[in-house]
């Protein structure tokens, strides 16, 4: 695959994180606690490690499942990335619920929940095993819908990363066009202080399986 695709898959989410973090000085946040992110030792080191783990997981997936994931000569339908992300959201809902089992929370998912009200950079503040598990669900969803054209594969990876950043952004943007971003942020902020809202992209699975948590909007 063209190296420019890898560069775009790294650069675009990184810029999204930087942009969302910088917006906290000029836009209202949903909620905050004085200790959020401040006393977490190695926070940015963890984020950097998980960025590397994510890239390595993508490369491993391409090497091991290449023909199921990518068909360089194929042009995918425009909606293929959307189908992948919706299928991923269903799989991730169940993974996320499993991560809240006591044993997995104590050993893995507690890292992400150290911040009560996360911000964009915390989209990568995880135990590395959680990073791998989440991307395995995404790659499996790609294989189920695919193989994808190279452009659709990269677009899906970038969209997944951007959604993950916006879900953790903790921003309340005063614009009607930002309603989806605000909704994502509010739902996940509520998740960090309650038990529920395990879905990421759509609240459908939480509604169906009775795990919706009350969401507080700014």
């Amino acid at each position: 695959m063209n190296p420019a695709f890898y560069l775009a898959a790294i650069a675009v989410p990184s810029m999204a994180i930087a942009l969302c973090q910088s917006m906290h000085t000029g836009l209202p946040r949903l909620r905050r606690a004085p200790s959020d992110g401040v006393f977490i030792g190695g926070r940015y080191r963890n984020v950097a490690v998980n960025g590397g783990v994510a890239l390595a997981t993508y490369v491993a997936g391409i090497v091991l499942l290449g023909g199921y994931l990518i068909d360089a000569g194929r042009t995918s339908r425009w909606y293929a990335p959307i189908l992948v992300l919706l299928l991923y959201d269903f799989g991730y809902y169940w993974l996320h619920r499993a991560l809240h089992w006591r044993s997995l929370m104590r050993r893995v998912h507690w890292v992400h929940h150290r911040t009560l009200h996360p911000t964009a950079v915390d989209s990568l503040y995880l135990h590395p095993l959680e990073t791998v598990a989440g991307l395995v669900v995404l790659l499996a969803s790609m294989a189920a819908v695919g193989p994808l054209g190279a452009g659709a594969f990269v677009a899906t990876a970038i969209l997944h990363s951007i959604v993950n950043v916006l879900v953790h952004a903790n921003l309340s943007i005063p614009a009607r066009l930002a309603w989806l971003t605000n909704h994502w942020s509010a739902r996940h902020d509520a998740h960090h202080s309650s038990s529920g809202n395990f879905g990421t992209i759509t609240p459908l699975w939480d509604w169906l399986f009775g795990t919706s948590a009350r969401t507080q909007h700014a």
Side-chain angles (χ1 to χ4, degrees):
M1 196 159 60
N2 192 319
F5 288 152
Y6 292 110
L7 181 61
I10 295 171
V12 175
S14 298
M15 289 188 291
I17 290 175
L19 178 61
C20 288
Q21 289 294 117
S22 67
M23 290 170 72
H24 284 147
T25 59
L27 289 173
R29 289 170 60 171
L30 294 166
R31 291 187 293 178
R32 71 183 74 196
S35 61
D36 280 347
V38 175
F39 302 114
I40 298 178
R43 183 189 194 200
Y44 289 96
R45 182 173 63 248
N46 175 283
V47 167
V49 167
N50 276 295
V53 169
L55 181 59
T57 304
Y58 272 117
V59 172
I62 292 170
V63 170
L64 296 173
L65 302 171
Y68 296 97
L69 293 175
I70 305 171
D71 181 351
R74 181 177 184 179
T75 301
S76 297
R77 299 286 186 179
W78 64 267
Y79 52 78
I82 299 174
L83 290 179
V84 171
L85 291 177
L86 290 176
L87 181 59
Y88 158 81
D89 197 51
F90 178 72
Y92 183 76
Y93 170 85
W94 292 106
L95 171 63
H96 199 180
R97 285 193 67 169
L99 287 169
H100 278 257
W101 295 347
R102 182 174 298 179
S103 59
L104 289 178
M105 173 61 87
R106 187 173 63 249
R107 292 179 174 86
V108 178
H109 197 45
W110 70 273
V111 175
H112 185 61
H113 274 267
R114 291 182 73 183
T115 299
L116 185 59
H117 305 302
T119 59
V121 72
D122 296 308
S123 62
L124 280 173
Y125 186 72
L126 307 162
H127 192 293
L129 287 177
E130 183 173 346
T131 298
V132 173
L135 288 179
V136 166
V137 174
L138 178 63
L139 291 170
S141 301
M142 288 179 173
V145 173
L148 303 174
F153 177 87
V154 174
T156 303
I158 291 175
L159 284 172
H160 168 263
S161 296
I162 289 176
V163 168
N164 196 32
V165 170
L166 294 177
V167 163
H168 292 87
N170 196 2
L171 289 172
S172 182
I173 301 173
R176 288 186 178 181
L177 291 178
W179 68 268
L180 183 57
T181 296
N182 293 340
H183 175 72
W184 280 338
S185 290
R187 276 180 51 80
H188 197 68
D189 179 80
H191 167 75
H192 271 250
S193 54
S194 64
S195 179
N197 291 355
F198 297 107
T200 298
I201 298 171
T202 170
L204 176 62
W205 315 121
D206 286 297
W207 290 343
L208 285 176
F209 300 110
T211 53
S212 289
R214 184 176 180 180
T215 299
Q216 174 176 318
H217 293 272

